[in-house]
Amino acid sequence: MKMTFRWYGLNDCISLQTIKQIPGMTGVVTAVYDTPVGSVWSRETIATLKAECDKNSLEMEVIESVPVHEDIKLGRGNRDEYIENYCENIRRLAEVGVKCICYNFMPVFDWLRTNLHTVAADGSNSLSYNHEEILALDPKKLSLPGWDESYTSDELNALLESYKDISREQLFDNLVYFLNKIIPVCEEVGINMAIHPDDPPWDVFGLPRIICSEADYEKLFAAVPSNCNGITFCTGSLGAGRNNDLIKMAYEYSKRGKIHFAHIRNIAYSGECDFREVAHLTEAGSLDIYGITKALCDGGFTGYVRPDHGRNIWGEDAKPGYGLFDRALGACYLNGLFEAIEKGANK
Ligand code: DNO
């Protein structure tokens, strides 16, 4: 296991030096943020990121994300052009030693929450999701916290309209089409693709979501059997789905070499489809973080880990989910779990 920390590039208010001071940090997870989705990243920008990491003795082996253009997800006529650009990004990232690319195939929106600052009894605050509130929204007048605000409301409505004719099967076929073109490049240059699950793992606003459960993973692995076609095992996203047996999945998929990257965080259920994000510790929430970590170790997991979303604590007012303090605590807790489990197993 390699412990990493998400870093939003040179504009991140958390410096690489700060990240390096967290015990056990081997590298960062980052991306190029100033290039439109679908375009090729400049070698120069990639090299600048890499040089900064080198200067601070941090590895840059994981990229999150190389985003997938909506035209690829929609299967539009021009998708091959965007897929070719994606392949070029894979090649350029491999040139500087990147080993793993995290991406998602969620239509229009990435993760979804209804509140970014839900206050807990101890005065900390964190992200939360309430399904009733989502259902009450008019999809034509959407404005939710934390979203990609790069769409105008007309663009957003047009995009939502385009997805009206896309079924889950169609979206899945478009994912397979994309993977069949990029995976041979990954095999050639030695990069693993790690798809992030849908967050939350169910359809929203009538948009199909296709990476939510074991059944979805089995379908994905069967369609594109390459070892480079793997997953980002995100405990918080998958854990919001009450039917997902995370311990079983962690064991099974690490054993099969499918987990290239793990996002570890905890959530507390507050309703059938409602939750709030909590500290990483098992006893802080509803997920058995120890059990999941143990299952990863038992399955022989050797991929990258990052402490996922933290709360705002100690007066920090950070980018939603991505402050320093709680994620650093999470990293230390997870490092402790891994050490204890691995040493215990070797006894
Ligand atoms: C949220 C993240 C996601 C993730 C993407 C991967 O905090 O886990 O935004 O980076 O879905 O493509």
Side-chain angles (χ1 to χ4, degrees):
M1 180 279 290
K2 276 188 173 182
M3 184 58 68
T4 61
F5 205 77
R6 193 171 195 179
W7 176 61
Y8 282 94
L10 295 165
N11 293 330
D12 196 325
C13 59
I14 305 171
S15 72
L16 288 176
Q17 190 180 34
T18 300
I19 294 172
K20 183 68 192 170
Q21 289 168 356
I22 304 167
M25 250 338 129
T26 66
V28 292
V29 171
T30 190
V32 168
Y33 293 100
D34 59 2
T35 306
V37 175
S39 318
V40 176
W41 292 357
S42 87
R43 281 204 171 83
E44 209 185 337
T45 313
I46 299 171
T48 306
L49 288 173
K50 169 74 174 148
E52 285 300 315
C53 292
D54 285 350
K55 238 195 279 171
N56 290 279
S57 306
L58 285 162
E59 290 170 344
M60 190 182 89
E61 296 187 342
V62 187
I63 296 296
E64 177 178 354
S65 309
V66 180
V68 179
H69 195 278
E70 294 298 324
D71 288 358
I72 298 178
K73 298 179 207 164
L74 283 160
R76 283 185 169 152
N78 53 344
R79 66 177 149 176
D80 285 344
E81 194 184 310
Y82 288 118
I83 296 177
E84 188 35 57
N85 288 351
Y86 205 99
C87 291
E88 183 56 21
N89 281 332
I90 294 171
R91 290 187 201 100
R92 291 185 180 197
L93 291 167
E95 282 167 14
V96 300
V98 169
K99 304 269 187 283
C100 176
I101 295 176
C102 171
Y103 70 106
N104 74 72
F105 217 74
M106 293 179 244
V108 192
F109 308 114
D110 191 336
W111 55 273
L112 214 77
R113 298 290 182 272
T114 44
N115 192 331
L116 301 182
H117 295 102
T118 298
V119 180
D122 63 6
S124 63
N125 68 75
S126 66
L127 314 181
S128 67
Y129 178 92
N130 181 290
H131 199 57
E132 288 285 305
E133 282 177 40
I134 291 282
L135 294 180
L137 292 172
D138 175 356
K140 293 259 169 237
K141 295 188 195 131
L142 287 181
S143 152
L144 271 174
W147 272 358
D148 181 351
E149 277 149 15
S150 56
Y151 296 120
T152 64
S153 114
D154 283 352
E155 283 167 350
L156 185 60
N157 286 335
L159 200 51
L160 289 171
E161 200 54 39
S162 324
Y163 275 98
K164 286 240 160 82
D165 304 325
I166 306 280
S167 62
R168 299 184 91 228
E169 288 65 33
Q170 185 62 53
L171 184 65
F172 182 78
D173 289 348
N174 294 344
L175 170 61
V176 172
Y177 180 93
F178 166 68
L179 287 171
N180 279 334
K181 300 245 169 179
I182 67 160
I183 291 294
V185 179
C186 294
E187 286 175 339
E188 194 185 308
V189 300
I191 282 200
N192 286 322
M193 294 302 296
I195 194 166
H196 190 284
D198 301 334
D199 181 7
W202 47 75
D203 294 0
V204 270
F205 307 125
L207 293 167
R209 304 269 230 178
I210 53 171
I211 304 292
C212 304
S213 64
E214 255 187 280
D216 293 342
Y217 284 132
E218 291 308 329
K219 209 170 144 191
L220 173 73
F221 301 149
V224 185
S226 166
N227 287 341
C228 295
N229 173 31
I231 67 176
T232 295
F233 191 77
C234 176
T235 61
S237 305
L238 291 168
R242 302 285 190 106
N243 293 331
N244 284 329
D245 182 340
L246 298 193
I247 294 181
K248 178 168 169 244
M249 290 163 93
Y251 177 71
E252 177 72 20
Y253 297 143
S254 49
K255 199 153 186 227
R256 285 158 63 182
K258 288 296 185 184
I259 305 182
H260 300 313
F261 187 23
H263 287 179
I264 309 190
R265 66 181 162 89
N266 205 347
I267 54 174
Y269 300 134
S270 44
E272 193 47 39
C273 292
D274 307 324
F275 58 88
R276 69 189 162 80
E277 300 187 359
V278 295
H280 297 78
L281 198 73
T282 298
E283 68 174 49
S286 307
L287 307 181
D288 180 359
I289 301 296
Y290 163 77
I292 293 165
T293 308
K294 171 126 183 16
L296 287 171
C297 294
D298 290 349
F301 172 73
T302 54
Y304 302 91
V305 173
R306 71 169 178 79
D308 205 7
H309 304 179
R311 305 157 301 150
N312 276 315
I313 58 170
W314 302 337
E316 194 176 21
D317 182 16
K319 184 178 175 65
Y322 288 95
L324 169 65
F325 302 142
D326 205 34
R327 283 189 301 149
L329 291 177
C332 292
Y333 165 66
L334 294 172
N335 272 328
L337 282 182
F338 274 98
E339 181 180 353
I341 293 165
E342 280 161 7
K343 287 191 174 158
N346 290 335
K347 254 198 185 152

